[in-house]
Amino acid sequence: MNFLQKHIGCIVTLIVALAFIAPRLLTLPGFDWLDLTQTGEIGDTIGGTTAPFWGFLSTILLYLTLKEQQNFNKTQQMASDYDILMKLRDNISELSNNLTVAICHPTGSQRTQYQGSFHIEDLKNTFHPQNAIEEDDFNELYRNCTEIAGLILLFFNMLIQSRLGNDIKRTLFYSVSIHSERIYSLFDMTQHEWITIVKNLNSIDDNIFGRYNSTNEKYLNLFSEAYHKLTEMIN
């Protein structure tokens, strides 16, 4: 392919020259064994002797055209993948940075709202025993985090399947990984019951964490699988 592209000018010139020379050359008196002057109209002779050259040239040009079309399609697909991934990244970043984390005292007093997914770590009672979250606030936080998690997993899967180079994939992965780690931490802390949840008066669950077990396992496994595939791919 590279040889053809590099020498296509010379190849075309040679084939065209042969196509014009061939009728004259093959009808010279010396070619008695191939006496084309007695076989019919001169047009048939010229057509018959030049057709193989034009056919060969057409085949080469068709091949090069198809290869260029494939390269163009690949470039277009890469550009499309990049645009979609950038939009997803921006959406994830916006949702993560605007995530509301309402923290209160374990007694349910002094409720304060914070903005940004990095405040999720402030709920970890092994490091911040003075922090807690009301049940309704936790339900909303968990619901919002599952929405962001779905977008992150979509981003990771598209990144794995895209034709982008590993350097670009690595950059995009790291730009979202900070948000994914924060969202992952919520599922992990909920799974290990490292969050102090203040039940509301209408709570019907003795163990609030139990209702989230299957969802926690689902997202923890999906995140781990995506991380494993991506780190193998880009490292």
Side-chain angles (χ1 to χ4, degrees), residues 47 67 73 92 146 197:
K67 293 299 291 184
N73 291 341
I92 291 167
T146 55
I197 301 177

Side-chain angles (χ1 to χ4, degrees), residues 149-165:
L151 291 176
I152 292 173
L153 290 170
L154 175 61
F155 178 91
F156 285 162
N157 288 330
M158 286 194 63
L159 196 59
I160 291 170
Q161 297 173 14
S162 74
R163 297 183 179 182
L164 297 172

Side-chain angles (χ1 to χ4, degrees), residues 3-231:
F3 177 83
L4 287 176
Q5 289 179 327
K6 187 175 181 180
H7 300 91
I8 185 62
C10 296
I11 294 172
V12 171
T13 301
L14 177 61
I15 293 175
V16 171
L18 287 173
F20 280 105
I21 294 173
R24 177 61 179 168
L25 181 65
L26 296 177
T27 54
L28 289 174
F31 289 88
D32 295 334
W33 57 276
L34 191 62
D35 188 4
L36 300 176
T37 61
Q38 306 299 322
T39 60
E41 297 293 333
I42 189 63
D44 294 337
T45 301
I46 294 174
T49 54
T50 59
F53 298 103
W54 297 124
F56 181 62
L57 178 60
S58 298
T59 301
I60 292 177
L61 294 177
L62 177 61
Y63 172 76
L64 292 175
T65 301
L66 291 175
K67 293 299 291 184
E68 285 300 317
Q69 184 64 44
Q70 288 179 349
N71 292 335
F72 176 77
N73 291 341
K74 181 179 179 180
T75 302
Q76 289 293 99
Q77 183 62 51
M78 289 174 61
S80 176
D81 288 349
Y82 184 78
D83 288 342
I84 294 173
L85 286 167
M86 288 295 290
K87 290 178 181 178
L88 265 176
R89 186 202 65 174
D90 293 343
N91 194 8
I92 291 167
S93 179
E94 181 180 1
L95 290 173
S96 178
N97 291 332
N98 292 327
L99 187 69
T100 298
V101 182
I103 298 177
C104 66
H105 190 270
T107 61
S109 61
Q110 301 176 351
R111 178 178 178 274
T112 305
Q113 287 188 334
Y114 298 93
Q115 192 174 50
S117 59
F118 56 90
H119 286 291
I120 290 175
E121 284 292 328
D122 295 337
L123 292 172
K124 195 169 187 177
N125 55 24
T126 54
F127 292 109
H128 306 282
Q130 76 283 4
N131 290 343
I133 184 170
E134 294 180 0
E135 183 178 351
D136 290 340
D137 289 331
F138 179 79
N139 291 337
E140 182 179 357
L141 174 64
Y142 195 93
R143 183 170 58 252
N144 291 335
C145 283
T146 55
E147 178 184 349
I148 299 173
L151 291 176
I152 292 173
L153 290 170
L154 175 61
F155 178 91
F156 285 162
N157 288 330
M158 286 194 63
L159 196 59
I160 291 170
Q161 297 173 14
S162 74
R163 297 183 179 182
L164 297 172
N166 284 345
D167 289 340
I168 298 177
K169 286 185 177 183
R170 187 181 299 110
T171 301
L172 290 172
F173 171 68
Y174 289 144
S175 68
V176 171
S177 62
I178 186 172
H179 301 292
S180 66
E181 289 169 2
R182 295 168 183 170
I183 301 302
Y184 179 93
S185 69
L186 179 73
F187 300 124
D188 187 52
M189 289 191 296
T190 306
Q191 187 75 355
H192 290 90
E193 301 185 13
W194 289 337
I195 300 175
T196 302
I197 301 177
V198 180
K199 294 183 180 181
N200 60 36
L201 297 177
N202 300 321
S203 180
I204 59 175
D205 293 324
D206 293 332
N207 181 13
I208 296 176
F209 296 100
R211 75 175 76 151
Y212 298 107
N213 282 341
S214 60
T215 306
N216 291 332
E217 291 177 2
K218 169 188 171 182
Y219 282 107
L220 290 173
N221 289 333
L222 289 173
F223 270 93
S224 297
E225 290 174 5
Y227 263 74
H228 179 70
K229 290 179 181 178
L230 278 169
T231 50

